[in-house]
Amino acid sequence: MQRPQEAAATLAVQQPRIAICDDWEQCALFSADWTDLQQLAELQFFTAPFGSTEEAARALADFDAVCLMRERTPFPRELIDQLPRLKRLLFTGERNAAVDIAHARSRGIEVSGTSSGPNKASTAEHTWALILAATRRVVSSMNTLRQGHWRPTEELAQYPLPDVLEGDRIGIIGLGAIGSRVARIAQGFGMDVVAWSQNLSAEHAARVGVRRVEKNELIATSKIVSLHLVLSDRSRHTIGPTEYSLMRRDAVLVNTSRSGLIDQASLTAALDAGRPAHAALDVFDQEPLPDGHPLLRHSNVTLTPHLGFVATPVMETFYRQLVADLTVWVQAIRHPDQHPQSAQSRSVSSGVTPNAIRNRDTML
C-alpha cells in the first residue's frame, strides 16, 4: 500500500478519478457547472444503485474521491476497507447515518458534507402532497379516469369518498424545522394540531402554536399521524403494532422521514386490520423498493420513491457545493505549493469543511 506522501505525489502527476454516485435522477450534470472540474479530474457518474457492498467495492476500487447522494449508498467499514485508493469522501446534506465517518477518517480519508438548501421546505411540502393525495383519493380517481370512467363502475374497485381535513386533528411526531412547517400548513387548513416527541416541551409547542400531548393520545385521536424525527436507537419503531392498534379506523399514517421510525414489516397486517386506514409513505426499509413488495400491491397506500428532498433548488445546492469543494481539493493536489493548507482548509465557494457535519438532532 502506498504511503500518503507517495499517493499524493502520484496524484499530483495524474488526473484524480472521481465517482459521482447515486445520480438516480440523472440531474447532476445540469444542476451545476462541471466544466473546470472535468478539466482537472476524470469524472464518472453512476445513475443506478449498486446491488451490494461487493458490487460497490468493485465499481469504486479505482477512484480517489467518491460523492454520495444522502444515504442512498451505504458506506460501512466493510466497503471502506476495500477501497485503498480512496482519499476523499463527500456526501450531500449535513448528516449521514449510512457512512462510517469515524472509520473513514481513521483511514486518513477526508470526509465532509454540504448544506441542504431548501431541503426542509421541500420535505414539508411533499408531506402535504402525500396527505392530500391520500385524503382526496387523487391516485385512485386518476387511475379510474385513465381507464375511461368518470366514476368507479361495478367492474372497477370502489374507493372511499374524499375527506375534509378542516376541523379534524393532525398529530405531528417531532416538532423540529420540518414538523413545524407541517404544523403551520395544517393550521392554514383549519386543523387542530397536536404534537409529541420525547424531548418536546409544552413551551416549545406553544411557540409553534400547537399543543403538546402524550404519544398515545396523539396516536389514538389524530386523523393524520405524521412522523418527523431523526432515526436513532431511541426513535426506531416509534410506531409499531401496539401503536397501530390504537389508531383511528380512518387514520392516515404519513412518513417522509426515515422508514425505521415505523415497523414497516407489520404495517401490511395493520392496514389489513383497518388501523390505520391508509399509509402515505416516501421512505422504505429497502430502497429502491423491490418488485413484488407487499406495499406495492396494497390498495390502502399512497407511495412515492423517496422524493421528499428531491427538488431543483435542493439538487443545485448539493451539486454546486460538491463541485466547488472538489475543485479546491483537486487544485491543491495538483499544485500543493499554491495551497499549503489545502486538505483541511475551508472552501470559500462551497462553505464545506471536513468537520462541518452536524451532530444528530432529535427532530427534523
Side-chain angles (χ1 to χ4, degrees), residues 98-157:
V99 174
D100 192 333
I101 296 173
H103 185 64
R105 287 177 170 168
S106 75
R107 296 289 301 267
I109 299 167
E110 185 181 349
V111 185
S112 64
T114 72
S115 63
S116 295
N119 167 58
K120 291 177 171 58
S122 177
T123 303
E125 291 171 14
H126 193 74
T127 299
W128 273 99
L130 284 174
I131 292 171
L132 293 174
T135 58
R136 299 303 302 179
R137 322 302 180 204
V138 171
V139 176
S140 300
S141 58
M142 182 178 68
N143 289 338
T144 297
L145 193 59
R146 284 181 167 173
Q147 294 176 54
H149 300 279
W150 195 246
R151 294 290 188 274
T153 64
E154 292 183 1
E155 292 77 22
L156 292 173

Side-chain angles (χ1 to χ4, degrees), residues 47-93:
T47 59
F50 300 116
S52 63
T53 298
E54 292 71 25
E55 182 181 333
R58 289 192 297 270
L60 301 176
D62 294 326
F63 288 94
D64 304 290
V66 172
C67 301
L68 306 174
M69 176 58 66
R70 299 286 296 265
E71 297 175 353
R72 289 178 175 177
T73 295
F75 234 79
R77 172 190 297 258
E78 295 74 20
L79 176 55
I80 293 167
D81 287 343
Q82 295 181 69
L83 303 176
R85 184 168 166 173
L86 184 63
K87 300 161 192 69
R88 189 75 170 87
L89 181 60
L90 303 95
F91 55 79
T92 59

Side-chain angles (χ1 to χ4, degrees), residues 78-247:
E78 295 74 20
L79 176 55
I80 293 167
D81 287 343
Q82 295 181 69
L83 303 176
R85 184 168 166 173
L86 184 63
K87 300 161 192 69
R88 189 75 170 87
L89 181 60
L90 303 95
F91 55 79
T92 59
E94 297 158 354
R95 59 168 68 90
N96 195 317
V99 174
D100 192 333
I101 296 173
H103 185 64
R105 287 177 170 168
S106 75
R107 296 289 301 267
I109 299 167
E110 185 181 349
V111 185
S112 64
T114 72
S115 63
S116 295
N119 167 58
K120 291 177 171 58
S122 177
T123 303
E125 291 171 14
H126 193 74
T127 299
W128 273 99
L130 284 174
I131 292 171
L132 293 174
T135 58
R136 299 303 302 179
R137 322 302 180 204
V138 171
V139 176
S140 300
S141 58
M142 182 178 68
N143 289 338
T144 297
L145 193 59
R146 284 181 167 173
Q147 294 176 54
H149 300 279
W150 195 246
R151 294 290 188 274
T153 64
E154 292 183 1
E155 292 77 22
L156 292 173
Q158 299 286 323
Y159 52 82
L161 291 173
D163 288 323
V164 172
L165 297 177
E166 183 177 4
D168 217 327
R169 172 173 286 188
I170 181 172
I172 298 174
I173 298 179
L175 200 62
I178 296 174
S180 296
R181 284 174 166 85
V182 172
R184 288 194 293 271
I185 296 170
Q187 290 162 348
F189 276 97
M191 298 191 76
D192 174 32
V193 186
V194 296
W196 172 87
S197 75
Q198 289 178 317
N199 291 341
L200 179 63
S201 67
E203 292 75 19
H204 176 72
R207 285 195 294 271
V208 183
V210 308
R211 184 166 59 89
R212 186 195 188 279
V213 297
E214 293 303 318
K215 175 184 173 183
N216 285 354
E217 179 184 346
L218 181 151
I219 291 169
T221 62
S222 296
K223 165 71 176 179
I224 309 294
V225 176
S226 189
L227 291 124
H228 303 284
L229 297 171
V230 171
L231 181 62
S232 65
D233 290 340
R234 188 172 66 163
S235 65
R236 185 175 298 278
H237 290 185
T238 294
I239 304 291
T242 299
E243 289 77 18
Y244 293 142
S245 69
L246 295 174
M247 288 184 173

